[in-house]
Amino acid sequence: MITDDDKHAHLRDDIRLLGNLLGDTIRAQHGEARFLAVERVRQEAVAYHRAEGGARQAHSRALTASLQALPIEQVLDVVRAFSYFSQLTNIAEDVHQNRRRRAYRESKSAPQVGSLAATLDALRKRGIDETALRAAAQSLHVSPVLTAHPTEVQRQSVLECQRMIADALAQREDHDDEVANETLARGVLTLWQTAMLRLTKLRVIDEIENGLNFFRLSFLRELPALHIRLAKSLNVAPSTAMRVGSWIGGDRDGNPFVTAETLDYAVRAQASVAFGHYLHELHHLGRELSLSTRVVEVTPQVLALASAAQDTSPHRQDEPYRQALVGIYARLAATAHSLVDFTAVPAPGVALAPYASAHAWLADLRIIEASLLSHGSATLAAHRLSPLIGAGALFGFHLAPLDLRQNSDIHESTIDELFKICGVADDYLTLDEPARVALLSRELTHARPLSSAHMALSERTQTELAIFRQAGSARAQFGAEAITQTIISKAQSFSDFLEVAVLLKEAGLCQSANTCGADSALFEPLSLRIVPLFETIADLEAAPEIMRTAFAHPQYRQWLHAQGDLQEIMLGYSDSNKDGGYLTSIWSLYNAQNALRDVFAEAGVRMRLFHGRGGTVGRGGGPSHDAILAQPPGTVQGNLRLTEQGEIIGSKYSDPEIARRNLEALLAATLEASFLPTVESPEIAHYEAVMTTLSASAFKAYRATVYDTPGFDLFFRQMTPVGELTGLNIGSRPASRTASTRIEDLRAIPWVFSWAQARVMLPGWFGFGSAVDAYLAANPQGLATLLRMAQEWPFFRVAIANMGMVLAKTDLSIAERYAQLAEPALRDRIWPKITEEHARTVAAVERITQAPLLADNPTLKRSIAHRFPYLDPLNHVQIELIARHRAGETDERITRGIHLTVNGLASGLRNSG
């Protein structure tokens, strides 16, 4: 019998091997003394991590003393060593996960939960017939959307080294150990000698390029393969159920560096990646399909393509597939050159006209595929051609739909300026909501423009109009799928929708540009969808009534009808959490979805929810599969979008095998949540009432501490490294929307990221312990209810599991040392509030789960045991260096050391932002 220890023996061996290789590298590069200094810190860190109570404090003091005794250059070596220890452990864990999944598949066991096979089996067992399943699969719309948020602190050069090590480690079992170990040693040495930190701040174009790497690494191949597997499972043609979207280059909310120029760069860079992939595959396909007419009979359509190719090579005169592909390659190369100045390598052998659209190119490929199938060569088509057709159907010439996003305040001020300069209204900003709606509605019926090249518009207004006009240009060049919608951050009223509509009309973004804005009450529908983003607790509560108002507006309802009676709504997790705490945030989101579902049903409009989730639990994170299944019944409806942010993108999608699993889990969960009948507990109404009570108490506790405690904002800035983050070159977007130091004005990302660095993770749990205590005090028998809720209600079960994960990653003994950075009066008044609430919350979670933290998640528990001993020294170093930095020491190496610790902790914690 194989024990659990046996299953994970390879993991322990890999971690030990990589650790030894790193140690050998340090010894060879810096000598025995430096190696021993790092080793002493490592041993003390392991002892600290394993100790408890007073012994832990003693080891903490010893660890601090060891670090303080080192000169700054050796401190930097320690920071780099432990950062890389942690990263190498991450690599070993990822490789081991892939190893275990392959072993599971080879064992012929039942399909794993979260896989397509398991989900389809479950749907069939619940009585859903094949016809319904096929229809469901064809109607799905699932889209992970990449966003450029500044929590991916690692350089691409470092990530490339990590991928090289991961590949070598994965192949080690199939190669001679000595050869494999040499490859690994070379990879570790390269990693050690590669600078962790960027010399310059990331630009938007850098973020665009970083995002595109994941298409090259996984999406371009894994997404078509996923659709082919789904099609085979249901015996249907491959669909386009899942597409990857992007905000990178189109999201200008709070980012002044996103302009029409960067939008143009993003669209062209995306297209170049798509063309590069297609041309590479076509070149190899041409080499492979050497089929001769002396052996097989091809269709007349293929012969026509071969003739049109004008290929005069004497070696291919009886090879029509190769001839046809010469022509297809030449036409696609001409398309790529005309659209984005892309030069095909190898150069095409003939000169032909470019394709008018991706659809025309795909039509030629389908002619090749149909002919292969006609003479029994389906296996040949399946190898490269069918995946290429699948990629073309999914990615077109644009690669990924790019969303636009801007804050409603900017839209409002832009409209105000345009109205003033054109004499439409001098007092727009002072109008109430009904007056604004009436004025905007009238404006939308006029054909005359609000701006011209001769007007002296402010730079901001010119920038906003230029963005929309550039979007129109991108759609004209690369197809309507290139940019499909514009998102309104901080949507708080229906007039926010109409302001965007006026700007879209002004930019000519109507379905028929020549009649855009014609003098009629029923003007041409807009080309882009308008998507409101409801972010704060108050915004979420107001969302249903705002949408009811929108659906009752004749013009807006007409647009929706022209767009297939579909409305997308984006829900903000980060700001609602910062506004009201974890429990109130998720409960407000749950209630908003329920209410929106009913409003949409009344109006006869289909709803697509776009979940703005971050990586960490404090920003809506957690396992996506479980989160989707925990959504309110009837709110998924086969349509789902969700953001993928920061370091989570790398951990999910840089490895093709891990990407395959994550993409499949998203698709499977959406299928299950949409089409598997929900069996709700008969006590659901009671459970919801209990959640309302818990949420109110949690909100009160959270607000009383975070917003109503005098000096809390200063304590946060003194205790955490939020101030030091501004000097780290980790993103193009400013950390705050304004120069204010208020928590309300700080972006949710640095708010959560800073608490994670200090090992408090406060946004992921604060308030729950107080809420449970208050509920049980008023309901002495209430624990039995909470236990049933955790067992029977997916929403509550996932909420508890996510809190358990984040609580397991907190370390208040380390966090207390960060608290020492704050002024004593503030610390003595605020820190006890945090520690007391932490104790209450841990106790509450363990009472409800009837088990210690992570008892139900052995994988994460094992991961923490492996990784965290290497993170603890980084915290100790960071605290010491922050104290020296704030005391006025100006040594550049101190600042560099702080930034190195930020980098190491973020990559080690994995979902810190």
Side-chain angles (χ1 to χ4, degrees):
M1 178 179 177
I2 299 176
T3 66
D4 193 63
D5 278 350
D6 293 333
K7 290 179 181 178
H8 305 298
H10 277 302
L11 173 60
R12 291 192 297 274
D13 290 345
D14 287 347
I15 291 173
R16 188 179 303 112
L17 170 64
L18 292 174
N20 289 338
L21 288 173
L22 182 58
D24 292 344
T25 298
I26 295 169
R27 183 188 286 110
Q29 292 292 305
H30 303 287
E32 188 70 16
R34 290 266 188 113
F35 167 75
L36 291 176
V38 172
E39 180 61 15
R40 281 194 296 272
V41 173
R42 187 193 71 81
Q43 291 174 355
E44 198 63 65
V46 171
Y48 164 80
H49 192 75
R50 292 174 178 171
E52 296 181 0
R56 198 160 207 243
Q57 294 303 319
H59 282 297
S60 177
R61 289 190 294 272
L63 183 56
T64 300
S66 297
L67 292 167
Q68 288 176 337
L70 296 176
I72 185 63
E73 279 303 321
Q74 290 191 35
V75 169
L76 296 182
D77 285 344
V78 167
V79 171
R80 295 182 68 241
F82 281 87
S83 296
Y84 285 141
F85 272 135
S86 178
Q87 290 176 22
L88 292 171
T89 302
N90 289 346
I91 293 170
E93 287 180 345
D94 289 343
V95 169
H96 186 63
Q97 284 185 25
N98 291 339
R99 179 190 294 130
R100 292 304 311 151
R101 287 188 183 87
R102 287 193 294 272
Y104 188 90
R105 287 196 301 269
E106 291 167 3
S107 71
K108 306 299 182 184
S109 301
Q112 286 184 301
V113 174
S115 67
L116 269 176
T119 297
L120 291 173
D121 285 350
L123 291 168
R124 288 170 177 135
K125 287 175 183 176
R126 291 289 291 272
I128 300 179
D129 64 26
E130 292 301 308
T131 301
L133 278 177
R134 292 186 187 110
Q138 295 293 325
S139 66
L140 283 177
H141 179 100
V142 186
S143 180
V145 180
L146 308 186
T147 69
H149 283 282
T151 56
E152 174 52 88
V153 295
Q154 293 192 61
R155 298 177 60 212
Q156 281 298 318
S157 299
V158 172
L159 294 173
E160 288 170 8
C161 288
Q162 292 175 358
R163 286 192 287 271
M164 178 175 68
I165 293 167
D167 289 343
L169 196 62
Q171 296 168 11
R172 183 167 171 259
E173 295 172 36
D174 302 323
H175 294 78
D176 179 83
D177 276 358
E178 185 176 346
V179 174
N181 289 352
E182 286 178 2
T183 303
L184 287 170
R186 198 162 55 247
V188 171
L189 177 60
T190 304
L191 188 66
W192 180 255
Q193 295 187 336
T194 299
M196 272 189 181
L197 301 177
R198 301 181 181 94
L199 290 173
T200 58
K201 190 172 181 63
L202 271 181
R203 301 166 298 167
V204 177
I205 61 172
D206 298 321
E207 293 171 331
I208 292 166
E209 293 298 334
N210 288 348
L212 290 175
N213 275 332
F214 298 100
F215 287 87
R216 299 183 184 98
L217 290 169
S218 58
F219 294 138
L220 278 162
R221 296 188 185 279
E222 295 304 327
L223 264 183
L226 174 60
H227 287 88
I228 289 171
R229 290 201 303 277
L230 177 62
K232 284 183 177 179
S233 300
L234 297 173
N235 194 28
V236 294
S239 67
T240 55
M242 176 179 280
R243 300 185 185 219
V244 176
S246 177
W247 278 11
I248 311 175
D251 176 17
R252 60 200 189 281
D253 178 19
N255 192 340
F257 306 111
V258 175
T259 63
E261 289 73 26
T262 54
L263 178 63
D264 181 51
Y265 181 90
V267 173
R268 291 177 176 277
Q270 288 188 172
S272 295
V273 170
F275 283 126
H277 175 74
Y278 300 154
L279 289 165
H280 174 272
E281 293 300 292
L282 280 173
H283 173 63
H284 285 277
L285 190 63
R287 296 178 63 182
E288 293 167 4
L289 292 185
S290 56
L291 287 66
S292 169
T293 52
R294 290 176 286 172
V295 180
V296 298
E297 183 177 349
V298 304
T299 63
Q301 291 84 357
V302 166
L303 293 176
L305 283 177
S307 176
Q310 304 174 24
D311 176 25
T312 59
S313 169
H315 306 296
R316 292 190 289 269
Q317 294 310 299
D318 68 332
E319 297 173 345
Y321 287 115
R322 279 182 163 171
Q323 288 182 312
L325 287 165
V326 164
I328 293 171
Y329 183 93
R331 292 194 65 189
L332 191 66
T335 309
H337 188 267
S338 66
L339 285 177
V340 293
D341 201 26
F342 184 95
T343 301
V345 178
V350 296
L352 297 176
Y355 283 106
S357 67
H359 296 294
W361 168 59
L362 287 170
D364 282 355
L365 291 184
R366 290 190 173 107
I367 287 173
I368 303 287
E369 183 182 50
S371 182
L372 288 171
L373 297 179
S374 74
H375 54 69
S377 298
T379 302
L380 300 181
H383 172 62
R384 193 182 300 272
L385 177 59
S386 295
L388 177 57
I389 291 172
L394 288 166
F395 302 109
F397 290 164
H398 63 282
L399 189 70
L402 196 62
D403 288 355
L404 306 182
R405 186 173 76 133
Q406 182 56 286
N407 194 289
S408 62
D409 291 342
I410 304 298
H411 295 147
E412 180 184 71
S413 65
T414 303
I415 289 293
D416 178 59
E417 180 177 342
L418 290 173
F419 279 0
K420 282 179 179 174
I421 203 166
C422 286
V424 174
D426 290 330
D427 58 348
Y428 179 76
L429 295 181
T430 67
L431 298 179
D432 61 17
E433 177 66 7
R436 287 189 180 194
V437 169
L439 177 59
L440 292 164
S441 299
R442 285 196 302 274
E443 184 57 38
L444 284 163
T445 65
H446 293 311
R448 51 116 173 91
L450 293 170
S451 63
S452 77
H454 306 293
M455 288 181 175
L457 299 174
S458 68
E459 182 179 352
R460 186 166 67 179
T461 294
Q462 291 181 55
T463 297
E464 288 302 302
L465 292 174
I467 284 274
F468 285 121
R469 287 170 179 146
Q470 185 60 51
S473 176
R475 286 168 58 88
Q477 288 181 285
F478 300 97
E481 290 295 314
I483 299 174
T484 59
Q485 58 192 33
T486 182
I487 299 167
I488 310 169
S489 294
K490 210 177 82 171
Q492 297 176 326
S493 64
F494 177 55
S495 62
D496 293 336
F497 295 45
L498 296 182
E499 289 166 358
V500 173
V502 170
L503 294 175
L504 293 176
K505 179 178 81 74
E506 186 66 19
L509 283 166
C510 300
Q511 288 187 11
S512 178
N514 60 348
T515 60
C516 185
D519 288 302
S520 167
L522 298 178
F523 55 90
E524 282 293 325
L526 302 175
S527 298
L528 303 187
R529 296 186 188 279
I530 295 175
V531 178
L533 167 52
F534 299 111
E535 300 177 81
T536 66
I537 302 297
D539 293 346
L540 290 167
E541 291 173 349
E545 190 55 40
I546 292 172
M547 295 314 304
R548 187 175 279 111
T549 301
F551 295 153
H553 190 272
Q555 292 168 317
Y556 192 78
R557 190 64 185 84
Q558 181 195 357
W559 300 334
L560 289 182
H561 182 68
Q563 294 170 344
D565 288 315
L566 174 71
Q567 171 72 59
E568 185 167 302
I569 302 286
M570 187 170 184
L571 302 172
Y573 286 69
S574 304
D575 284 291
S576 61
N577 181 292
K578 184 163 68 74
D579 185 33
Y582 174 66
L583 198 69
T584 300
S585 170
I586 62 172
W587 186 234
S588 297
L589 287 157
Y590 188 94
N591 286 329
Q593 290 178 72
N594 267 331
L596 286 166
R597 176 196 59 207
D598 296 341
V599 169
F600 274 66
E602 292 168 8
V605 177
R606 291 183 298 136
M607 179 172 70
R608 177 189 296 155
L609 293 179
F610 184 3
H611 298 268
R613 305 171 76 232
T616 185
V617 169
R619 296 187 53 242
S624 297
H625 180 270
D626 294 343
I628 294 169
L629 296 181
Q631 298 306 303
T635 59
V636 177
Q637 301 176 4
N639 280 285
L640 180 79
R641 300 182 86 216
L642 73 166
T643 51
E644 300 282 26
Q645 303 178 359
E647 75 281 2
I648 293 300
I649 298 175
S651 66
K652 279 187 173 183
Y653 301 120
S654 60
D655 175 83
E657 196 164 348
I658 293 174
R660 186 180 315 146
R661 170 175 56 86
N662 281 297
L663 293 168
E664 183 170 336
L666 276 181
L667 192 60
T670 306
L671 258 176
E672 185 172 343
S674 301
F675 305 107
L676 193 61
T678 302
V679 180
E680 288 197 325
S681 166
E683 292 191 79
I684 188 65
H686 178 49
Y687 293 166
E688 290 177 344
V690 172
M691 261 305 302
T692 298
T693 300
L694 290 171
S695 173
S697 297
F699 180 79
K700 181 180 178 182
Y702 177 85
R703 295 288 300 192
T705 297
V706 174
Y707 287 97
D708 299 336
T709 299
F712 188 89
D713 55 345
L714 181 58
F715 173 78
F716 162 69
R717 291 181 181 279
Q718 290 181 350
M719 176 187 167
T720 73
V722 64
E724 284 71 21
L725 291 178
T726 58
L728 189 56
N729 297 314
I730 58 177
S732 67
R733 186 189 305 273
S736 291
R737 291 184 170 90
T738 70
S740 164
T741 60
R742 299 189 319 153
I743 292 171
E744 292 93 327
D745 297 322
L746 182 71
R747 292 191 174 279
I749 299 161
W751 166 255
V752 173
F753 193 61
S754 299
W755 285 119
Q757 288 279 312
R759 302 292 286 277
V760 183
M761 316 284 187
L762 180 144
W765 54 265
F766 197 93
F768 183 71
S770 290
V772 171
D773 282 0
Y775 172 72
L776 294 180
N779 302 272
Q781 306 303 314
L783 182 59
T785 300
L786 297 177
L787 292 174
R788 291 197 305 277
M789 288 168 65
Q791 293 166 357
E792 300 175 1
W793 192 14
F795 167 80
F796 193 66
R797 181 169 60 249
V798 169
I800 297 298
N802 283 342
M803 270 189 289
M805 286 193 296
V806 77
L807 287 167
K809 291 186 175 185
T810 62
D811 190 322
L812 289 201
S813 61
I814 288 177
E816 187 171 10
R817 295 205 58 236
Y818 279 91
Q820 300 300 314
L821 294 169
E823 296 171 14
L826 280 177
R827 179 180 66 244
D828 295 344
R829 188 158 45 85
I830 296 173
W831 180 242
K833 294 177 182 285
I834 295 174
T835 58
E836 289 162 10
E837 184 61 24
H838 181 267
R840 281 191 291 266
T841 303
V842 170
V845 169
E846 292 185 340
R847 290 178 77 182
I848 293 169
T849 60
Q850 302 281 281
L853 297 177
L854 295 186
D856 62 341
N857 195 339
T859 300
L860 180 57
K861 186 175 182 179
R862 184 170 55 249
S863 177
I864 286 174
H866 287 148
R867 282 187 288 132
F868 279 32
Y870 301 131
L871 298 184
D872 300 340
L874 298 178
N875 286 113
H876 284 77
V877 172
Q878 187 179 91
I879 293 163
E880 175 66 21
L881 295 181
I882 287 174
R884 292 167 63 177
H885 175 68
R886 293 178 183 176
E889 293 193 34
T890 57
D891 190 329
E892 178 274 335
R893 293 172 297 181
I894 292 175
T895 304
R896 180 153 40 103
I898 293 171
H899 292 168
L900 285 169
T901 61
V902 170
N903 186 303
L905 287 166
S907 59
L909 290 167
R910 306 204 88 169
N911 59 346
S912 58

